[in-house]
Amino acid sequence: MNDERPDPDALLARVQRDTAKACRGRLKIFFGAAAGVGKTYAMLLAARERRAENIDVVVGLAETHGRKETAELLEGLETLPTREVEYRETRLKEFDLDAALRRRPAIILVDELAHTNAPGSRHPKRWQDIYELLEAGIDVYTALNVQHLESLNDDIGQISGIRVWETVPDTVFENADEVELVDLPPDELLVRLKEGKVFLPQQAQDAIKHFFRKGNLIALRELALRQTASQVDAQMLTYRADHAIRDVWQVSERVLVCVGPSALGERLVRAGKRLATGLRADWIAVYVETPQLQRLPPERRDAVLRILRLAEQLGAETVTLSAPEMGEAIIRFARARNITKIVMGKPSRRGWRRWLMGSVVDTLIGHAHNINIYLLGSPQGDPAERDLYLARKRPTPGLMDRLGPRQKRRYVGYLWAIGVTLLCTVLARLMFGRLELANLVMIFLLGVVFVATRFGRGPSILASILGVAIVDFLFVSPYFTFSVEDTQYLVTLVAMLVVAMLISNLMANVRSQAKVAAHRERRAMVLYAMTKEMATAQTEDEIVRTAVRHLHTEFGSRTVVLLPDATGRIRYPNDRPMAESLLGADLSVAQWVMDHDEMAGQGTNTLAGSSAVYFPVSTGDTVLGVMALLPVNLRRIFLPEQRKLMDTFLRQIAHALTRVRLTEQARSVQLQIETEKLRNSLLSSISHDLRTPLATIVGSASTLAEDGGTLEADDRIELSRGIYDEAQRMSNLVNNILDMARLEAGVVELNRQWHPLEEVIGSVLTRMQKRLADRELKVRLPPGIPMIHADAVMIEQVLVNLLENAIRYTPAGSPLEIMAESTPFTVEISVADRGPGIPKGREEKLFEKFYRLQPEASQSGVGLGLPICRAIIEAHGGSIQARNRASGGTVFSIILPAGANPPSLDQEE
């Protein structure tokens, strides 16, 4: 065992971590128990020290809260101007992220890490602004109070009676490169409050009566100290791992409880709990599964499960290790986790057996330096030890009918050992006299290797002993006796026995390790396949079906994933059940698991009478559903390695459900945003275009109504014409909106007929005759252009909209053109003008609803004409596009598919 050799995986992880950090800024958090302890003051002092070292330091935002001594520290430091955001008729000052990125200093100060940004900011939280600065390679100094940590929010709310709504994820605090604790005793903080150095006098009195009570401050101070200690401890472990330090550092207490299938397991867990509570230390319960322990009967392996479950209930972290040697595995784990105290049972081996084969306790005492080891013994005459001794007795070969399949296979291995040894004897007897004794010994060793690779340690040991006995009896003189004539043969026989035993032991270990490796590979493949399918699942039903299929494949059990409805009640999936699905799960038990976030059902301590086992599908903070599983064999689920696999499955299901639900929420929010944007655009667009004609109609109508006969006939006609024109304009506006709604809803049916393009354009010019009176219009249609298979009324509406659009947005009197071209597959109709053209990059935006190049005061219209044109053309299977002319102006081109076999027209005279 080479403990000094660094782990290659750890080295690779360190290189990757260092590479990522090299491109990223460093985050330093000034951490305190409450407001007023001096976090901002300490942060500004540190900034001034860096500034004195000629480092580029900028203050992005510092909240002085009117404290004179804090404000004085800002003098001489460059401060970025804040940006103002208008919110609910007030103007808020916010940190200007873009200005900080443009300035790009070496260090920037951004106070109040947990602050919530004003609506309309790039990020909803300030810590997200800081992360963007870190990604840009800028070091950041910030400040944070302990009550703003997300994981402590509920506990602090219970202590203080006040819920803090601005929180920061714990990962932000944990990933900080440096945490500096700014501490102040509660009495001194209360004095500062009374002196008005934290809040205004009236606010200070209210704070002292509520949040800033002395008891609250003591509790907050302890939490802040503990969080800082945890952060420093994590940094220490990272440093030890990076530098391959194996020796234990006695800086904080950690208790490791070693449990196994012995009768002392529960007593060890309780003793470890008491020791950890007295030391106020973290504690871990570890079980090392060696090849010998893997061959234990099911009852004793179930006992280990109960012990580990008890440790979890008492607050321990439970870990299951797989290793050929228990002592070495415990030492490696203890050094990696910086364990200071190990609790374990006294050695069960005594006398010559302990001297010859050793014990785990002796291994730990010899190698676990700087670690205190506590041994727990059982009282003399403890019934538990007697029961353990009786349990170690193996069934006799005469009871084959009472043995399980596994035990039967074991006895078959012993029969094979006898048979292989007899076969080796026959082969050796045939070669006796032709080969030396050493070569005959090789035949028996070959048989030992075969038995060891196929049937394990016990049968191979039997083959070793039988082989030595037969060699002595048949091939060493005097023959047919176990006595030895020449003493040199004693050395040969002893060497043969030792080599055979070593080979059998090594081959058994290799076989066991290969079995464990194959099992781990299969588990990894199962997880990979499930994760791959979960990542591509788009709905909750797909996730449920994928989970049921993979769980049935791995655990051989019928399974169902139960999700809550809108009221929070557990229900069965709506989809048709699969062959692997569990039908008839107890929904009341599932609801209890959902409400309490605890496992229940068969094999547990809660509602154990249920036939199925119910697992909560949880992300840690939220229970998303319940998985019910009907076990074929409880050990297949609750064995330590299988339980870890089950927990991984549940986490994958929870993550997939969370992803799908967040996607649905994002889609719903986006739909709401688009709906609100559409509503606002519609209101802003039609408000002017409805208000103007309505004002004209009301004014003209009131003039006519109040006329006492003073108006001339021409004036009356002019007012009446104005009312008619404005009413017609409102009618067109409403018709456009209704047409757009019908087109988007897909309720418009096209009346496709064959129409000559000349007739369609002629009908459009007739309708537009009055509007085109002051325009020069050129129509260029090449001879032989085919008929179009379209809804003539709709195509006419498109051309009318394009011409009205050209008239509205081009100078008065400027010429217009209508052109057409044809190919074997398309017919292209173009409307061109000599106007100002389209700004570059806005060609496609013209076809968006309610989009206009001109502000609403410049031209009438709501921006629906072109979207209606696109909807009509796309309904015909064509396309429409806009582009600028090289000689000035705009061209709108309509491309319609040419119909199959269009009828031909005779040339008119």
Side-chain angles (χ1 to χ4, degrees):
M1 181 178 66
N2 185 9
D3 291 338
E4 304 304 323
R5 177 180 170 184
D7 185 1
D9 293 334
L11 290 176
L12 179 61
R14 177 189 174 187
V15 171
Q16 293 174 343
R17 187 172 63 250
D18 293 343
T19 303
K21 282 188 174 182
C23 304
R24 189 174 182 270
R26 293 177 56 84
L27 175 62
K28 181 175 182 178
I29 298 177
F30 292 82
F31 190 57
V37 297
K39 300 182 299 300
T40 305
Y41 189 88
M43 181 173 64
L44 291 172
L45 280 178
R48 295 181 72 88
E49 292 175 0
R50 301 286 83 76
R51 184 69 183 85
E53 297 170 2
N54 293 325
I55 297 176
D56 186 14
V57 180
V58 170
V59 178
L61 184 71
E63 299 288 354
T64 63
H65 297 289
R67 300 164 193 158
K68 181 180 178 182
E69 62 274 14
T70 305
E72 289 176 352
L73 291 178
L74 285 171
E75 297 178 2
L77 293 175
E78 179 184 350
T79 303
L80 291 179
T82 57
R83 62 184 181 89
E84 293 188 352
V85 179
E86 188 171 348
Y87 178 66
R88 293 183 179 178
E89 299 181 355
T90 59
R91 300 193 68 82
L92 304 176
K93 293 185 177 181
E94 291 288 352
F95 168 61
D96 194 338
L97 176 60
D98 292 324
L101 292 172
R102 287 193 299 269
R103 175 61 178 77
R104 200 177 181 83
I107 300 175
I108 187 168
L109 278 63
V110 185
D111 207 354
E112 295 189 358
L113 179 63
H115 174 75
T116 300
N117 293 331
S121 301
R122 183 185 309 174
H123 302 297
K125 304 289 288 187
R126 183 166 291 168
W127 65 264
Q128 295 171 317
D129 294 340
I130 290 176
Y131 263 43
E132 187 168 343
L133 293 172
L134 295 174
E135 293 298 329
I138 303 173
D139 295 348
V140 179
Y141 287 1
T142 187
L144 178 69
N145 288 330
V146 68
Q147 66 263 29
H148 294 295
L149 286 176
E150 179 67 40
S151 63
L152 300 178
N153 192 252
D154 293 333
D155 296 335
I156 293 176
Q158 183 180 4
I159 293 171
S160 64
I162 298 175
R163 184 64 180 267
V164 178
W165 296 106
E166 290 186 328
T167 59
V168 172
D170 287 44
T171 52
V172 177
F173 180 79
E174 293 165 359
N175 293 333
D177 298 280
E178 184 178 353
V179 175
E180 181 174 323
L181 178 66
V182 183
D183 187 35
L184 192 67
D187 291 332
E188 293 186 22
L189 180 56
L190 290 173
V191 170
R192 286 175 54 83
L193 277 169
K194 293 176 182 179
E195 293 175 351
K197 295 182 178 180
V198 179
F199 300 118
L200 296 176
Q202 182 59 41
Q203 294 176 334
Q205 293 300 321
D206 294 338
I208 292 173
K209 294 178 182 178
H210 297 93
F211 188 84
F212 283 81
R213 296 193 300 269
K214 185 174 180 178
N216 291 352
L217 295 178
I218 294 174
L220 292 174
R221 189 186 187 198
E222 181 177 357
L223 287 173
L225 291 170
R226 285 184 174 275
Q227 289 296 319
T228 307
S230 298
Q231 176 73 6
V232 174
D233 187 65
Q235 292 176 351
M236 180 202 66
L237 292 177
T238 302
Y239 178 85
R240 283 167 43 85
D242 290 345
H243 292 78
I245 297 174
R246 304 302 181 187
D247 294 334
V248 175
W249 290 356
Q250 300 280 351
V251 292
S252 62
E253 298 290 355
R254 275 193 185 85
V255 178
L256 180 68
V257 180
C258 302
V259 300
S262 69
L264 290 175
E266 293 186 2
R267 293 188 61 207
L268 283 169
V269 168
R270 295 190 183 98
K273 169 63 176 176
R274 290 194 301 270
L275 180 61
T277 302
L279 297 172
R280 307 189 73 174
D282 297 332
W283 65 297
I284 305 169
V286 65
Y287 167 62
V288 182
E289 191 165 52
T290 62
Q292 293 86 351
L293 295 180
Q294 289 178 349
R295 294 190 293 270
L296 288 176
E299 296 77 12
R300 296 187 64 191
R301 299 196 78 187
D302 290 345
V304 175
L305 294 178
R306 289 193 296 271
I307 294 169
L308 291 176
R309 202 174 303 161
L310 174 63
E312 288 180 349
Q313 293 172 355
L314 296 178
E317 175 190 351
T318 58
V319 177
T320 302
L321 305 174
S322 296
E325 295 295 335
M326 187 180 299
E328 295 180 0
I330 294 174
I331 291 172
R332 284 196 299 268
F333 182 80
R335 288 174 175 172
R337 298 294 293 270
N338 203 43
I339 299 296
T340 59
K341 291 177 172 53
I342 297 178
V343 180
M344 59 191 310
K346 66 179 183 180
S348 59
R349 293 172 182 165
R350 295 178 176 84
W352 67 270
R353 295 177 67 248
R354 180 176 178 183
W355 177 82
L356 183 63
M357 294 182 286
S359 69
V360 178
V361 174
D362 296 333
T363 302
L364 292 181
I365 292 175
H367 296 86
H369 305 295
N370 295 332
I371 302 177
N372 299 324
I373 299 177
Y374 296 81
L375 300 181
L376 184 67
S378 59
Q380 187 174 5
D382 192 347
E385 284 198 348
R386 184 176 63 254
D387 294 341
L388 179 62
Y389 171 76
L390 294 176
R392 289 176 178 172
K393 286 189 173 182
R394 299 192 180 278
T396 59
L399 301 177
M400 292 295 289
D401 55 335
R402 296 171 55 184
L403 299 177
R406 183 175 177 182
Q407 291 171 319
K408 289 181 179 179
R409 287 195 302 270
R410 184 180 304 165
Y411 282 101
V412 169
Y414 287 107
L415 294 176
W416 269 93
I418 296 173
V420 168
T421 305
L422 293 177
L423 178 61
C424 293
T425 303
V426 172
L427 293 175
R429 193 65 185 174
L430 294 174
M431 299 178 184
F432 183 61
R434 305 176 188 176
L435 300 177
E436 295 292 336
L437 180 61
N439 296 323
L440 299 179
V441 168
M442 293 297 105
I443 296 175
F444 286 92
L445 291 180
L446 184 62
V448 170
V449 171
F450 173 79
V451 174
T453 55
R454 295 293 300 274
F455 304 105
R457 180 179 284 103
S460 65
I461 292 175
L462 176 61
S464 303
I465 296 174
L466 286 177
V468 171
I470 290 174
V471 168
D472 184 19
F473 190 77
L474 295 178
F475 303 105
V476 176
S477 62
Y479 304 114
F480 306 109
T481 178
F482 290 106
S483 62
V484 178
E485 183 179 83
D486 192 345
T487 55
Q488 66 176 343
Y489 289 119
L490 287 176
V491 177
T492 303
L493 294 174
V494 171
M496 177 183 173
L497 179 62
V498 172
V499 170
M501 297 287 282
L502 287 175
I503 290 175
S504 64
N505 187 60
L506 291 175
M507 293 305 298
N509 287 339
V510 169
R511 181 170 175 264
S512 175
Q513 292 174 10
K515 183 179 178 182
V516 171
H519 180 65
R520 289 177 177 173
E521 181 183 6
R522 184 182 59 81
R523 286 171 52 188
M525 292 299 296
V526 169
L527 286 174
Y528 171 75
M530 181 176 178
T531 304
K532 184 178 179 181
E533 289 193 39
M534 288 285 188
T536 58
Q538 299 298 321
T539 64
E540 291 185 356
D541 291 335
E542 291 182 26
I543 293 172
V544 168
R545 297 177 74 85
T546 301
V548 168
R549 187 172 66 256
H550 283 281
L551 286 166
H552 181 269
T553 301
E554 175 60 24
F555 297 97
S557 304
R558 294 185 178 273
T559 311
V560 63
V561 178
L562 306 170
L563 301 177
D565 56 18
T567 63
R569 305 301 300 175
I570 286 291
R571 59 170 177 79
Y572 253 92
N574 295 326
D575 276 7
R576 180 173 56 85
M578 304 167 58
E580 301 90 347
S581 297
L582 171 63
L583 303 177
D586 193 333
L587 295 183
S588 61
V589 177
Q591 190 65 50
W592 187 92
V593 173
M594 175 82 180
D595 295 338
H596 294 81
D597 193 13
E598 293 182 16
M599 187 175 61
Q602 186 182 171
T604 68
N605 296 326
T606 306
L607 303 172
S610 301
S611 58
V613 186
Y614 297 81
F615 298 90
V617 181
S618 171
T619 60
D621 299 328
T622 307
V623 182
L624 304 176
V626 176
M627 187 187 73
L629 184 144
L630 186 63
V632 177
N633 188 334
L634 279 178
R635 283 185 295 275
R636 193 169 178 181
I637 298 172
F638 289 111
L639 286 175
E641 63 273 16
Q642 291 295 99
R643 179 60 192 279
K644 283 187 175 182
L645 181 62
M646 176 66 73
D647 290 341
T648 306
F649 269 59
L650 292 171
R651 282 195 296 270
Q652 292 295 331
I653 297 171
H655 291 331
L657 288 173
T658 302
R659 174 181 58 80
V660 169
R661 292 183 180 182
L662 289 177
T663 302
E664 289 294 330
Q665 291 177 9
R667 188 180 295 115
S668 176
V669 170
Q670 186 64 31
L671 180 60
Q672 293 177 4
I673 292 173
E674 293 296 331
T675 302
E676 187 69 17
K677 186 186 298 183
L678 181 64
R679 185 181 69 85
N680 293 336
S681 299
L682 178 61
L683 291 176
S684 63
S685 297
I686 68 175
S687 59
H688 172 265
D689 293 281
L690 287 177
R691 187 168 58 245
T692 301
L694 279 174
T696 303
I697 292 172
V698 170
S700 300
S702 63
T703 301
L704 291 174
E706 295 172 0
D707 175 38
T710 59
L711 289 176
E712 298 292 338
D714 292 341
D715 294 334
R716 287 175 178 273
I717 294 172
E718 186 66 28
L719 289 173
S720 300
R721 185 178 292 112
I723 293 174
Y724 172 79
D725 291 341
E726 296 301 329
Q728 187 67 33
R729 178 179 166 189
M730 287 185 61
S731 176
N732 292 336
L733 174 63
V734 174
N735 287 336
N736 278 342
I737 296 174
L738 295 177
D739 289 343
M740 192 73 240
R742 284 197 298 269
L743 287 168
E744 288 195 337
V747 298
V748 176
E749 295 185 4
L750 300 179
N751 181 21
R752 290 176 179 263
Q753 300 290 335
W754 290 104
H755 299 279
L757 185 56
E758 296 90 338
E759 291 185 4
V760 175
I761 295 176
S763 178
V764 171
L765 296 181
T766 301
R767 290 174 57 183
M768 296 290 294
Q769 185 175 6
K770 183 179 178 181
R771 299 289 306 276
L772 296 171
D774 61 341
R775 297 275 184 161
E776 177 187 352
L777 178 64
K778 295 180 181 179
V779 179
R780 291 188 293 179
L781 300 178
I785 195 164
M787 301 175 68
I788 59 173
H789 189 247
D791 188 327
V793 176
M794 291 288 187
I795 299 300
E796 288 177 13
Q797 182 64 42
V798 171
L799 294 174
V800 167
N801 286 354
L802 293 178
L803 288 171
E804 287 185 342
N805 196 66
I807 293 171
R808 184 179 297 118
Y809 293 103
T810 58
S814 60
L816 301 175
E817 296 179 63
I818 299 177
M819 302 166 286
E821 295 180 2
S822 64
T823 68
F825 305 103
T826 61
V827 175
E828 181 177 351
I829 309 168
S830 302
V831 176
D833 60 48
R834 293 293 180 180
I838 306 170
K840 187 177 180 180
R842 299 193 186 181
E843 292 84 353
E844 282 298 314
K845 294 184 70 66
L846 288 176
F847 296 97
E848 296 180 2
K849 293 187 293 293
F850 309 114
Y851 180 78
R852 292 182 294 179
L853 290 176
Q854 304 287 346
E856 67 174 20
S858 302
Q859 299 287 348
S860 62
V862 294
L864 285 178
L866 292 179
I868 289 174
C869 293
R870 167 168 280 185
I872 292 173
I873 298 302
E874 289 180 349
H876 282 79
S879 62
I880 183 172
Q881 59 186 8
R883 67 180 186 275
N884 290 321
R885 304 176 74 178
S887 57
T890 306
V891 178
F892 287 89
S893 298
I894 302 167
I895 301 175
L896 294 173
N901 301 321
S904 60
L905 292 176
D906 295 333
Q907 186 71 25
E908 295 184 1
E909 295 292 339

